[in-house]
Amino acid sequence: MKQVNTTEKTKQHFDKIAASYAESSDGKFCAPAYGALKEEVEKFKSGKLLDVSCGTGTVLSLLEHSPLEKYGVDFSEKMIEEAHNAVGDKAQLYVASADAMPFERDTFDVVTCSFAFHHYIHPEAVLQEFRRVMKSGATLIIADPYVPQPLRSLLNPLLRFSDNGDYHMYGQKELSRLMSKNGFQMQDFQLINKHSFSCRCVAA
């Protein structure tokens, strides 16, 4: 039997739940945090926004009336199909992985990534790609699940064996170090609720 790698497990999981994502356990877990993400992005009144791992287009839909020029990428073709249904022609959508995106250098003013960063097996490669497509001084906003210590240290080794492709949960200090190493400066880290955090970083 062919062994399925973690990235492919993640893709298969999201392909499977794409049509019913909002009603899935994943969708219900993420939903309470989207309002905080929307408020953060709505502070920006001009420029280009990229939503990485945009899924079914939930964030882009919430930002329907934002003046930002909107783009989204996801490596799941089925998720992008659902996103097209959700946002229509109000955003440009592409099938692409987070570490190899079809954009020119220094394109975006704002990049969002909601509840996907913990899935990235090679986070440094992803952050370097984020930095490549972002202008200097551009803002990166990440929302992701939060697990406190010491539970996080116990949980992370187990996540690598998940059938859904879950990979690594981050705390503030680890994430800040990762950002600094890859061209970003963390400006803010806060809990949205007891299960989720958001952080805001600036491209150096």
Side-chain angles (χ1 to χ4, degrees):
M1 181 180 294
K2 180 182 177 182
Q3 185 174 5
V4 180
N5 66 32
T6 301
T7 300
E8 187 59 28
K9 283 182 181 179
T10 305
K11 184 177 182 300
Q12 289 177 359
H13 171 67
F14 285 108
D15 281 346
K16 182 178 180 180
I17 67 173
S20 58
Y21 180 76
E23 291 76 37
S24 70
S25 58
D26 288 34
K28 290 178 180 178
F29 177 89
C30 300
Y34 286 133
L37 187 64
K38 177 176 180 283
E39 287 182 11
E40 193 68 30
V41 175
E42 285 181 335
K43 295 176 183 178
F44 298 88
K45 304 303 181 184
S46 64
K48 293 183 177 181
L49 163 72
L50 172 63
D51 189 24
V52 181
S53 300
C54 65
T56 58
T58 302
V59 171
L60 293 170
S61 296
L62 289 172
L63 295 168
E64 177 182 4
H65 300 296
S66 166
L68 298 175
E69 185 178 337
K70 292 174 278 292
Y71 297 76
V73 297
D74 200 284
F75 74 161
S76 166
E77 294 90 345
K78 292 189 181 297
M79 282 289 195
I80 287 293
E81 288 175 9
E82 296 298 324
H84 274 296
N85 293 334
V87 303
D89 60 358
K90 295 176 182 177
Q92 297 184 45
L93 303 174
Y94 301 86
V95 177
S97 61
D99 59 0
M101 297 186 287
F103 306 113
E104 298 294 328
R105 185 180 300 274
D106 301 329
T107 297
F108 295 99
D109 303 278
V110 185
V111 170
T112 56
C113 181
S114 55
F115 298 97
F117 196 81
H118 66 286
H119 287 305
Y120 300 146
I121 301 172
H122 303 293
E124 292 197 27
V126 170
L127 287 174
Q128 289 165 17
E129 181 70 347
F130 285 6
R131 182 63 192 86
R132 183 186 71 81
V133 303
M134 293 172 68
K135 299 175 182 178
S136 293
T139 298
L140 170 63
I141 303 168
I142 293 176
D144 224 26
Y146 177 75
V147 178
Q149 290 286 37
L151 181 58
R152 186 168 65 249
S153 293
L154 298 172
L155 181 63
N156 273 330
L158 302 177
L159 290 177
R160 301 189 178 197
F161 300 97
S162 168
D163 289 336
N164 297 339
D166 290 286
Y167 200 72
H168 188 88
M169 299 294 183
Y170 294 90
Q172 181 176 359
K173 291 182 179 179
E174 182 182 13
L175 192 58
S176 182
R177 288 194 297 268
L178 191 61
M179 291 294 171
S180 297
K181 188 177 179 181
N182 292 282
F184 293 90
Q185 182 179 13
M186 184 183 290
Q187 291 192 324
D188 183 62
F189 182 102
Q190 59 182 321
L191 296 184
I192 300 172
N193 53 47
K194 64 181 180 179
H195 301 300
S196 307
F197 72 82
S198 69
C199 73
R200 184 180 71 253
C201 307
V202 173

